[in-house]
């Protein structure tokens, strides 16, 4: 994302192009120059599974020892392996996550999968995201400061529409003014990033025929 290159794909694949030198330079920059840009990146290698207790310990370490202020847990479902009561576990997890964020004076982001809508189009076909569709929605609704849903029609007829994504503010605890508001972004398949749509310019109203 930092380099605007999809390094995880073959060097020449569907228009994706990168060089080994670019990859090495980006890795070195992440280890050095990224600090000068206001932060560093720490990636936790959990081998596809983790538990909340170990995540809390590591979150406390990077927050206190390294000054990290943004912690991403993706996906929250990976923490449910072995849980006897998934809903209860998620309720406790989201409550503890909210308390941990206050303790560390940091922002913790939980990425959640969605349940299928009972009515209307699926989320893959552009269906609107609702609060009760988040996995562990009780805890998400009660303890999260903000909840944002991502929408997009992956089955659209045109490539332009398939690249469109809509960020929907499902919950805004702070003031509530943003709840229900949306913001459109466009997926750049070359860079692997979500970008602001190109501005649309209208003619100068002072122009005369």
């Amino acid at each position: 994302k930092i380099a605007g290159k999809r390094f995880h794909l073959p060097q020449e694949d569907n228009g994706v192009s990168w060089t080994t030198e670019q990859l090495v330079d980006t890795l070195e920059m992440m280890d050095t120059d990224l600090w000068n840009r206001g932060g560093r990146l720490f990636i936790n290698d959990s081998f596809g599974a983790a538990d909340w207790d170990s995540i809390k310990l590591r979150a406390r370490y990077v927050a206190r020892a390294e000054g990290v202020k943004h912690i991403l847990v993706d996906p929250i479902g990976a923490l449910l392996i072995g849980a006897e009561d998934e809903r209860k576990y998620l309720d406790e997890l989201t409550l503890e996550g909210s308390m941990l964020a206050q303790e560390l004076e940091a922002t913790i982001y939980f990425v959640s999968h969605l349940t299928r809508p009972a009515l209307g189009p699926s989320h893959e076909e552009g269906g609107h995201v609702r609060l009760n569709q988040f996995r562990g929605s009780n805890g998400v609704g009660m303890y999260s400061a903000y909840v944002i849903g991502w929408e997009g029609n992956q089955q659209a007829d045109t490539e332009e529409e398939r690249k469109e994504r809509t960020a929907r503010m499902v919950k805004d605890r702070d003031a509530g003014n943003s709840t229900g508001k949306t913001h459109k972004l466009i997926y750049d398949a070359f860079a692997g990033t979500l970008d602001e749509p190109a501005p649309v310019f209208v003619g100068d109203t002072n122009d005369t025929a």
Side-chain angles (χ1 to χ4, degrees), residues 1-206:
K1 305 303 180 184
I2 296 170
K5 299 287 184 181
R6 301 175 71 185
F7 290 121
H8 64 290
L9 296 180
Q11 289 178 301
E12 294 293 339
D13 182 24
N14 296 325
V16 175
S17 178
W18 55 271
T19 66
T20 302
E21 182 180 4
Q22 289 173 329
L23 174 58
V24 172
D25 288 344
T26 301
L27 291 172
E28 291 179 350
M29 182 269 291
M30 289 170 59
D31 193 41
T32 55
D33 292 347
L34 191 60
W35 176 253
N36 298 325
R37 299 185 184 191
R40 285 183 294 176
L41 177 65
F42 297 86
I43 300 177
N44 178 51
D45 190 352
S46 59
F47 298 99
D51 63 87
W52 177 232
D53 287 338
S54 65
I55 294 296
K56 285 189 294 184
L57 289 174
R58 296 176 187 186
R60 285 190 171 98
Y61 172 78
V62 295
R64 292 171 175 167
E66 303 289 351
V68 170
K69 291 299 182 182
H70 297 274
I71 300 168
L72 178 69
V73 181
D74 178 16
I76 193 173
L79 305 179
L80 302 177
I81 298 175
E84 296 182 2
D85 187 330
E86 179 178 307
R87 183 171 293 275
K88 180 180 179 182
Y89 186 84
L90 280 170
D91 287 348
E92 294 174 352
L93 189 155
T94 47
L95 171 59
E96 290 185 9
S98 177
M99 296 170 62
L100 182 63
Q102 295 183 46
E103 172 193 330
L104 301 178
E105 297 183 346
T107 302
I108 299 178
Y109 305 85
F110 287 117
V111 179
S112 169
H113 290 101
L114 301 170
T115 60
R116 292 183 177 181
L119 299 172
S122 67
H123 297 116
E124 293 80 6
E125 296 175 333
H128 288 183
V129 176
R130 294 174 172 80
L131 187 59
N132 63 2
Q133 295 168 345
F134 286 83
R135 193 169 186 177
S137 56
N138 285 347
V140 170
M142 285 189 292
Y143 305 122
S144 299
Y146 301 95
V147 180
I148 301 173
W150 288 94
E151 303 168 356
N153 186 358
Q154 299 174 4
Q155 306 302 319
D157 293 333
T158 66
E159 183 178 0
E160 289 74 14
E161 188 176 353
R162 290 195 295 271
K163 289 181 178 180
E164 290 183 358
R165 298 291 184 272
T166 298
R168 181 178 301 276
M169 181 64 76
V170 182
K171 176 188 175 183
D172 171 9
R173 170 179 285 174
D174 186 26
N177 297 337
S178 298
T179 301
K181 291 187 177 181
T182 60
H183 187 74
K184 184 173 291 186
L185 296 169
I186 305 297
Y187 179 67
D188 184 337
F190 181 81
T193 56
L194 286 168
D195 302 320
E196 299 277 349
V200 177
F201 297 98
V202 296
D204 188 344
T205 54
N206 294 322

